[in-house]
Amino acid sequence: MGFLASPFHIHPVYLVIIGFCVGTMSSFFGVGGGWLVTPMLNILGLPMPYAIGSSLVYIVVASLFGTLRHRKLQNVNYFVGLIIGITAFGGILLGKKLIFFLEAQGNVDTWVRVFYMVLLSVIGVYMLVEKRGGDDETRSDERSRALKPVLHVQYEGRPIPVSVPLVVIVGIVLGFLSSTMGVGGGFVLLPLLIYVVKLPVRLSIGTSLFTVLIAGIQGAAVYIAAGRIDWRALVFLIVTTIIGTFVGAAATKKVDPQRIKALFAGTVLLGVAAILFRQLEFGTLSNIAIIVTALGSTGAIILYAYMKKFLTNARRNTR
């Protein structure tokens, strides 16, 4: 029992619900889930360094099961994922130094929350208002060939050009975010793979999860060595995460790419509201917002993927 002892008291019911919701969103959006788990754990009572460390370990589990599921759906490019994952280590070391410096100064929570809000707001608003039209899965962009050397990866029977220098830069950014914000970086990596590297949406989701797994392992090792992990919270989180990853991965085949991007943007912006309430010390509103984010996004995924046809038929029958 000593292994699961914790000085922090979070009700297991909250952790079980969060595990299922974030597991579903993780596998559906191609993210490790840390961008929601870290502020959730912090809001529920864990100090930020422990919330970051615990989230990184959680990310490893969630992204592992998500990657295995997307592998069966042929949505993973391992070569691109390996390049990003390996180059992420430099960014991880830089991020760790920054977090431990801010912890020593006594203001780490505020800085990390502000960084979260700014970054998530930019990503969410951009993806919500992006109106270039067309399907990313059938579109090619010459910018992806601008920096050489260029690789061509195969997806659904066609070659897709990928700039290696761009992929390396993305890896360094990913590592920095992983170590400073307790995230695998997937919430940033997914839009980068779609809009910068120019991978199709579904291939971006699977590749993102694989990359997040690699970065998450490196980041988790750093925080485990520093003793900033709440193992008790992790056990309850993981219980329902595995189920959620299967639900989310299967849903990607049932929802069109534009709808996936819109749902992702809405989820990100709801998460910003929760973090803002926490920073303003509106504890009750913050807890409500984070739960609404998790339940609302998970509910929307299940609705569009599994219940839309049923509800349409039901409405027709009532006419």
Side-chain angles (χ1 to χ4, degrees), residues 117-165:
M117 287 186 287
V118 172
L119 194 56
L120 290 176
S121 295
V122 170
I123 292 170
V125 170
Y126 178 78
M127 294 191 75
L128 201 60
V129 303
E130 184 261 335
K131 299 182 182 297
R132 286 180 294 176
D135 190 336
D136 286 295
E137 302 207 17
T138 60
R139 215 169 48 228
S140 178
D141 193 323
E142 289 301 319
R143 285 179 300 170
S144 61
R145 309 170 190 263
L147 295 177
K148 297 183 178 181
V150 172
L151 298 175
H152 286 81
V153 303
Q154 294 293 322
Y155 182 66
E156 296 184 342
R158 62 190 179 91
I160 300 169
V162 174
S163 167
V164 175

Side-chain angles (χ1 to χ4, degrees), residues 208-284:
S208 174
L209 275 171
F210 174 63
T211 306
V212 164
L213 171 62
I214 298 172
I217 290 172
Q218 297 175 75
V222 169
Y223 279 83
I224 289 173
R228 303 298 201 282
I229 309 293
D230 187 338
W231 295 104
R232 177 180 176 274
L234 282 172
V235 169
F236 288 108
L237 280 172
I238 291 169
V239 167
T240 50
T241 291
I242 298 173
I243 299 173
T245 58
F246 281 90
V247 173
T252 61
K253 286 293 186 182
K254 301 175 182 292
V255 182
D256 71 84
Q258 296 301 322
R259 179 76 67 180
I260 291 174
K261 290 193 290 184
L263 287 173
F264 181 79
T267 301
V268 164
L269 293 176
L270 283 172
V272 171
I275 301 167
L276 176 61
F277 290 144
R278 177 66 172 180
Q279 183 61 31
L280 296 176
E281 299 185 355
F282 297 154
T284 301

